[in-house]
Amino acid sequence: MSDYDVVVCGGGPSGATTAFYAARAGLRVALVDRAKFPRDKACGGLLTPRVLNELPELKPFIEPVIECASHDVRLYSPSLKYRIDFDFGPHTPWNVRREIFDNALLEAARDAGAEVFTGTRASSFDFNGGVTVTTPQGDLTAQVVVGAMGPNDPLAQLMRKARGVAAWHDGEIGTALMWEPEVGRDFMEHAFGDKRSLLVHFRPAGIEGYGWVFPKDTILNIGFGGYNSTIKSINVREIWKGYLELLRNDGYFPAGDPDPPVKGAPLPLSGPLRATTMERTLIVGDSAGMVSPLSGEGIYYGMHAGKLAVETIQQALATGDFSQKALDSYHRAWQHAFGQELRDLAFFAKLALKFPERMVYYGTRDPKMCEIFADLFLGVTPGGLGKRKPVARALRNVIRYPYFGWG
Ligand SMILES: Cc1cc2nc3c(=O)[nH]c(=O)nc-3n(C[C@H](O)[C@H](O)[C@H](O)COP(=O)(O)OP(=O)(O)OC[C@H]3O[C@@H](n4cnc5c(N)ncnc54)[C@H](O)[C@@H]3O)c2cc1C
């Protein structure tokens, strides 16, 4: 008999959520992560309201680690000539620090009954009437394995090979750089007030991508990102300098001459993989490309996928059928939940990243467009954006509000 029903490899939000729901359902669960927790992760740390709305069972673990809500967002056009101001009303996104948030989710999984192995790298996977996950600390055997090891997930690579899914190239994967300077409460209150407004700048310092400032309690989370093909060709220190100067001029960054670290991480931006299962295997989160190609938001999608994966794993354990065909009910479930949404976002990302000046301009002229734009970018509306036909609206605006300029 195997040691576990399921071994979840990767203890970030996607893996920890999978382990949490699996253990809660009474399954024997091992959760394995190569890092020792608490560990940090390069991220903006912005949670859309859907995380709490759609995963209410995790509320008691997440709520205590929320630093603050952000009540509105300011989206700037590249020239800074146009700005969309959008108030989130009751659907505020939440600010967390990943080191603390991820640890809380890992503890939630442990609390639900998962056995947690940190500082433990999953190095190989053997399928032989079950699955054996090899780690330097010993083998773990199970009926099913879940890959949640981020964009370079070795299990996802095996699955890609088996299902004929090509590796991401530089035009499909992005890199985002971020920094979390401590600015103190006085500066924070003065510059961002109780609203803790989010700032988003398209093409900061000229790079094709966007920059952000997400204010937490006393730290600022500042970053920028774009496709690898762009990021590889820029001078990161120069971009940091330009972006911080822009923020300082607007009063959003204190005086001084800081030297931000060049700290970044990859993120898939081409939408989810067309296959996310193989025999005895399910892939969730970043490793499956479940990230908004427009904003880089991936926490919600990965966590939601983890919850859906557990439903399929339960069925497979009940029937004893662990074939790819049986596990594909997971693939269909996440496709149904947010597959169309990610496809819409991929399409809109092309428009917004190519013509950000125009998109923001239309947002300033058309209140509905403004709402759609903020929703697309931050996923704040319960139920998501799918039904909004944002692209059709954008195209209608091209006719209604002609824009005499490019970019
Ligand atoms: C700079 C930046 C800013 C971002 N901002 C936001 C944001 O504000 N909001 C948002 O929703 N999303 C944001 N994202 C995306 C978000 O960070 C990811 O979508 C999210 O972390 C995905 O979670 P995950 O659990 O799938 O993967 P991860 O969080 O990457 O977790 C993977 C885990 O697997 C472990 N692991 C890797 N290899 C192995 C191995 N061989 N064996 C065992 N363990 C292994 C790692 O240690 C890690 O803990 C941002 C991304 C970047 C890069």
Side-chain angles (χ1 to χ4, degrees):
M1 182 173 143
S2 51
D3 302 328
Y4 301 97
D5 294 316
V6 52
V7 176
V8 181
C9 299
S14 314
T17 302
T18 311
F20 169 79
Y21 281 104
R24 217 168 167 266
L27 309 189
R28 296 170 302 143
V29 183
L31 177 60
V32 178
D33 198 291
R34 68 179 175 193
K36 286 209 187 313
F37 277 61
R39 63 101 180 87
D40 206 0
K41 154 85 178 76
C43 185
L46 192 74
L47 300 183
T48 55
R50 290 190 289 175
V51 172
L52 289 181
N53 296 341
E54 293 178 30
L55 306 165
E57 300 81 3
L58 279 166
K59 241 185 190 178
F61 300 92
I62 297 176
E63 272 180 344
V65 300
I66 289 175
E67 296 228 340
C68 56
S70 279
H71 294 272
D72 61 8
V73 61
R74 295 167 191 182
L75 294 155
Y76 294 81
S77 75
S79 70
L80 306 178
K81 214 161 116 193
Y82 306 110
R83 187 177 103 187
I84 292 177
D85 288 345
F86 182 74
D87 192 300
F88 297 129
H91 308 300
T92 57
W94 309 102
N95 288 290
V96 296
R97 295 173 78 161
R98 283 295 296 270
E99 188 174 352
I100 299 166
F101 174 71
D102 287 20
N103 197 51
L105 292 182
L106 196 86
E107 288 308 320
R110 202 197 303 272
D111 194 74
E115 212 171 323
V116 178
F117 300 88
T118 53
T120 304
R121 175 189 290 270
S123 54
S124 68
F125 311 89
D126 187 36
F127 298 89
N128 193 359
V131 53
T132 302
V133 178
T134 304
T135 82
Q137 282 79 3
D139 289 352
L140 301 167
T141 60
Q143 296 295 337
V144 185
V145 63
V146 174
M149 292 176 275
N152 300 316
D153 186 325
L155 189 60
Q157 281 162 24
L158 283 182
M159 189 280 301
R160 280 170 182 264
K161 219 179 218 169
R163 303 288 309 271
V165 181
W168 287 308
H169 57 72
D170 275 357
E172 293 178 318
I173 194 138
T175 297
L177 291 103
M178 52 78 61
W179 181 40
E180 289 191 320
E182 174 73 48
V183 293
R185 187 155 288 117
D186 284 353
F187 178 83
M188 197 64 97
E189 293 296 336
H190 175 71
F192 291 88
D194 288 343
K195 287 199 167 235
R196 290 293 196 274
S197 308
L198 306 174
L199 312 178
V200 175
H201 293 89
F202 286 100
R203 290 209 185 142
I207 61 163
E208 196 172 300
Y210 77 95
W212 74 84
V213 182
F214 297 161
K216 315 283 169 193
D217 187 18
T218 62
I219 63 158
L220 289 177
N221 182 301
I222 308 177
F224 57 86
Y227 286 99
N228 273 3
S229 37
T230 303
I231 295 289
K232 275 183 178 169
S233 65
I234 61 169
N235 178 335
V236 168
R237 286 199 190 281
E238 283 301 308
I239 302 292
W240 265 126
K241 217 170 133 201
Y243 193 36
L244 294 181
E245 208 164 283
L246 184 156
L247 296 174
R248 200 180 286 117
N249 288 343
D250 273 355
Y252 291 121
F253 194 76
D257 193 14
D259 188 16
V262 183
K263 175 180 158 190
L267 74 166
L269 290 175
S270 58
L273 301 183
R274 63 172 172 77
T276 49
T277 60
M278 67 175 181
E279 192 173 351
R280 294 189 184 271
T281 307
L282 300 92
I283 308 293
V284 300
D286 273 20
S287 47
M290 294 168 178
V291 174
S292 160
L294 178 64
S295 66
E297 177 206 353
I299 296 173
Y300 158 73
Y301 298 110
M303 291 176 71
H304 192 162
K307 185 176 180 180
L308 296 172
V310 172
E311 290 171 16
T312 290
I313 294 168
Q314 282 180 282
Q315 275 166 25
L317 287 165
T319 58
D321 184 354
F322 301 100
S323 64
Q324 178 225 304
K325 202 164 165 231
L327 300 186
D328 260 345
S329 68
Y330 157 68
H331 188 80
R332 287 191 294 276
W334 71 253
Q335 283 270 4
H336 179 72
F338 54 75
Q340 184 58 46
E341 175 174 323
L342 288 177
R343 277 193 295 280
D344 286 352
L345 283 165
F347 190 83
F348 199 78
K350 287 200 179 90
L351 272 182
L353 294 178
K354 272 266 167 281
F355 307 109
E357 188 77 20
R358 236 185 254 224
M359 286 298 129
V360 177
Y361 167 75
Y362 293 145
T364 61
R365 305 295 296 256
D366 172 354
K368 195 71 194 163
M369 185 71 194
C370 163
E371 192 188 326
I372 289 171
F373 202 64
D375 194 13
L376 281 164
F377 211 82
L378 292 149
V380 285
T381 306
L385 53 102
K387 300 174 197 80
R388 297 281 189 83
K389 299 199 172 53
V391 174
R393 184 111 196 163
L395 294 176
R396 196 156 65 235
N397 274 315
V398 174
I399 299 160
R400 270 173 71 197
Y401 305 115
Y403 174 85
F404 302 104
W406 290 95

